[in-house]
Amino acid sequence: MLYKIPKSFINELLSNTNIVDIISSKIKTIKRGKNYYSICPFHNEKTPSFSISFEKQFYYCFGCHVHGNAIDFLINYEKMNFLESIKELSSLNGMKIPNSKIINKKYYKKKKLYDTLKKISLIYKNNIYKKKNKNVTKYLKTRKINKKSIETFSIGYSNNLKIIKNYYIKKNKKFIKNLIKSGILYKNTNNTIYNRFVERIMFPIKNLKGEINGFGGRTIFNKVPKYLNSPETIIFKKKENLYGLFETYKNNRKPIKKLLIVEGYFDVITLFQNKIKYAISILGTSINEKIIKKLFNITNTIICCYDGDDAGKKASWKTLKISLAYIEDNKILKFIFLPKGEDPDSIIKKEGHKKFLLRIKNAIPMSKFLFTKLLKNNKLSNPEEKTKFSIQVKNIIEKIPGKIIKFFLKKNLIKKLGISKVKNIKLQNKKKKKKKI
């Protein structure tokens, strides 16, 4: 329930809250004089510059300048919304949120769908271990997915619709309606209800709070399509979601040092099993600006590791172009190019954990990929080719907001074009003219 909460209550709540206790329960703090200090959870640093004042009930980072009260901290650190942070602090202080007549209907609708998907996910999980679904566990074994991963990622199986329908229609007809609204079930023109994901392994897609907002389904038979995602709903937007983001966020210290973008569900899970717990997958769609922006808000380093095929190479180049507008001086974009026919899932099974870590370590920086790609069909053998190359690179460089990286890219361009000598000649000519005068 979303209330319009009176300011007087918020002020009272903050006055009853000890911000030091709230933050110290989430991150390690050290007392120095009157204040408490910590490594900032919102940016990478080695020396603690994150200050928490008991007197002012306020936090401030001298490095990235992030600041706020206890509510702000819960919103930024725990990824809660405003109401959730109020509820959290109210619960800790034993205070009751005052009633209000203003209620957000959209919040109610979303909550119902989140609850519905949580319930259906439990049904899917239970299906995995049923005797009649042995072919599912057999398939997961062939993919070398262990029980721990099944639990961590809440992997399940969607079987016959009748089992869901017959069980729940007697107890709760609203549940069936919500399954339709969430896209799990759908009606045809004759009002017959069908299971969208029948006979598919189910991968819950979660937001940063761990709420399931959609599913990815993989057939274990020869059905088309091989992979199927939830349709668009009020809680699920395919282009804005990433698989494995919640698990990554949960299993890494904040701020997260790096994120590895891959293409598939099994890529994420297999990497996770091999102790690489910062892989996330796009949902069968090309990357977009919203995703890049979201990821750069979580980390300063993004590494792309797409499949070793032509589509993977095209996806890498597209990612580079889309990311340009977000390349600040502290933001890093790198690329891993896998051998032909390989993907992260297959290559780590062949090479093992250590060799894959080397691939991550040796990932190609954005700048190197940029020049390599543009020079591929341009030998710079004549002024026309150099002009074309120069225009291409300059158009790309101008889109980058980071001043330092922009400076070095321009310097690299000059080097590639070999025009430093021309500049020297111009300088010499100017000097000669001055002498004559």
Side-chain angles (χ1 to χ4, degrees):
M1 192 177 292
L2 187 58
Y3 300 103
K4 185 179 180 182
I5 302 165
K7 283 185 179 179
S8 56
F9 175 78
I10 295 168
N11 292 334
E12 186 185 353
L13 183 64
L14 287 171
S15 66
N16 290 340
T17 300
N18 182 357
I19 194 170
V20 176
D21 290 342
I22 297 294
I23 296 177
S24 295
S25 68
K26 311 289 181 183
I27 60 175
K28 190 178 179 181
T29 58
I30 301 167
K31 190 176 182 183
R32 289 180 187 168
K34 289 183 179 181
N35 295 338
Y36 290 77
Y37 288 86
S38 173
I39 296 290
C40 181
F42 304 112
H43 84 285
N44 290 313
E45 63 175 8
K46 292 181 180 178
T47 306
S49 64
F50 187 78
S51 170
I52 310 142
S53 170
F54 174 77
E55 288 181 359
K56 296 177 182 177
Q57 288 296 302
F58 200 75
Y59 68 84
Y60 179 79
C61 177
F62 293 93
C64 67
H65 309 296
V66 66
H67 59 277
N69 55 32
I71 295 169
D72 298 316
F73 183 82
L74 291 176
I75 289 170
N76 293 315
Y77 184 79
E78 293 289 358
K79 303 298 176 187
M80 293 180 177
N81 59 38
F82 179 73
L83 178 62
E84 287 167 338
S85 67
I86 295 293
K87 282 183 176 180
E88 175 84 3
L89 294 181
S90 299
S91 177
L92 290 170
N93 287 291
M95 295 171 69
K96 190 178 179 181
I97 301 172
N99 289 328
S100 174
K101 292 178 182 179
I102 301 172
I103 300 169
N104 191 328
K105 290 180 181 179
K106 197 173 183 181
Y107 176 83
Y108 268 135
K109 287 178 182 178
K110 284 184 175 182
K111 191 177 184 303
K112 283 178 183 176
L113 292 193
Y114 282 128
D115 291 342
T116 300
L117 294 185
K118 187 178 179 181
K119 285 176 184 176
I120 196 68
S121 181
L122 289 172
I123 294 170
Y124 292 154
K125 274 181 76 178
N126 290 333
N127 286 342
I128 282 271
Y129 301 107
K130 288 181 178 177
K131 287 181 180 180
K132 61 182 175 182
N133 296 326
K134 279 183 179 179
N135 54 344
V136 182
T137 49
K138 189 179 177 181
Y139 175 79
L140 290 172
K141 279 180 182 178
T142 62
R143 298 298 299 256
K144 296 184 179 178
I145 304 300
N146 59 37
K147 282 187 178 181
K148 190 178 178 182
S149 290
I150 291 171
E151 290 300 314
T152 301
F153 288 91
S154 309
I155 300 169
Y157 180 67
S158 175
N159 53 10
N160 202 308
L161 164 67
K162 287 179 182 177
I163 297 167
I164 300 168
K165 193 178 176 182
N166 292 343
Y167 179 76
Y168 277 99
I169 209 154
K170 294 172 185 175
K171 295 190 174 185
N172 190 353
K173 288 182 180 180
K174 287 182 180 178
F175 184 72
I176 295 294
K177 286 181 181 178
N178 286 326
L179 282 174
I180 293 167
K181 286 179 183 178
S182 63
I184 299 297
L185 308 178
Y186 69 95
K187 283 184 180 181
N188 67 4
T189 50
N190 298 321
N191 279 332
T192 306
I193 297 173
Y194 288 93
N195 181 0
R196 188 182 301 275
F197 296 102
V198 67
E199 295 179 334
R200 288 178 182 269
I201 292 172
M202 300 299 284
F203 302 93
I205 299 157
K206 304 169 188 175
N207 60 24
L208 277 175
K209 291 177 279 185
E211 296 168 320
I212 298 168
N213 52 21
F215 285 93
R218 205 274 186 201
T219 180
I220 55 171
F221 303 104
N222 294 320
K223 283 188 178 182
V224 178
K226 188 189 287 185
Y227 286 94
L228 187 65
N229 290 116
S230 290
E232 300 277 305
T233 67
I234 57 170
I235 62 170
F236 182 75
K237 300 286 181 284
K238 188 178 175 181
K239 289 182 178 179
E240 296 175 19
N241 280 270
L242 291 153
Y243 181 71
L245 190 59
F246 168 71
E247 289 78 10
T248 295
Y249 202 78
K250 188 180 176 183
N251 285 277
N252 287 275
R253 287 185 66 184
K254 284 70 171 182
I256 296 171
K257 289 183 179 179
K258 55 183 171 284
L259 288 171
L260 186 69
I261 303 177
V262 295
E263 289 188 50
Y265 301 111
F266 284 110
D267 293 329
V268 171
I269 298 163
T270 304
L271 289 168
F272 201 94
Q273 282 184 184
N274 283 273
K275 299 177 183 177
I276 297 169
K277 299 183 179 182
Y278 45 86
I280 51 173
S281 171
I282 48 181
L283 303 179
T285 185
S286 57
I287 204 148
N288 57 70
E289 288 183 6
K290 281 187 178 180
I291 287 175
I292 292 294
K293 189 178 179 181
K294 181 189 280 189
L295 297 183
F296 270 138
N297 282 335
I298 296 169
T299 186
N300 285 337
T301 303
I302 296 173
I303 304 168
C304 301
C305 184
Y306 299 127
D307 294 352
D309 53 22
D310 290 336
K313 288 175 185 176
K314 285 177 183 176
S316 294
W317 182 242
K318 188 177 180 181
T319 302
L320 184 147
K321 289 194 287 183
I322 288 171
S323 304
L324 294 172
Y326 304 96
I327 304 291
E328 299 284 353
D329 290 327
N330 64 332
K331 304 297 181 185
I332 296 167
L333 179 66
K334 293 183 175 183
F335 297 87
I336 296 170
F337 294 99
L338 298 178
K340 195 174 182 180
E342 300 288 359
D343 57 36
D345 174 44
S346 64
I347 201 78
I348 200 166
K349 284 172 183 173
K350 288 179 183 178
E351 294 183 346
H353 170 72
K354 288 184 179 179
K355 284 190 177 179
F356 197 88
L357 283 180
L358 273 175
R359 288 185 180 275
I360 293 172
K361 188 181 178 182
N362 298 325
I364 297 168
M366 177 273 292
S367 56
K368 187 177 180 181
F369 178 36
L370 168 65
F371 283 100
T372 304
K373 172 76 175 174
L374 294 180
L375 280 169
K376 191 176 180 182
N377 298 315
N378 195 332
K379 296 179 181 179
L380 304 181
S381 58
N382 57 57
E384 287 79 11
E385 286 182 349
K386 287 182 178 182
T387 302
K388 183 185 174 184
F389 176 72
S390 179
I391 292 167
Q392 283 179 320
V393 177
K394 277 189 78 177
N395 287 340
I396 286 171
I397 290 172
E398 289 309 313
K399 293 176 182 177
I400 298 171
K403 291 179 181 178
I404 298 171
I405 183 68
K406 193 182 276 191
F407 168 79
F408 282 109
L409 284 170
K410 285 179 179 178
K411 204 172 180 182
N412 202 356
L413 172 61
I414 290 167
K415 223 178 201 182
K416 297 282 183 189
L417 294 169
I419 60 173
S420 55
K421 291 179 182 178
V422 176
K423 282 193 170 183
N424 290 336
I425 291 164
K426 283 182 180 179
L427 289 169
Q428 285 170 8
N429 290 337
K430 283 179 184 179
K431 285 177 183 178
K432 283 177 183 178
K433 284 178 182 178
K434 283 179 183 178
K435 283 180 183 178
K436 286 179 182 179
I437 290 165

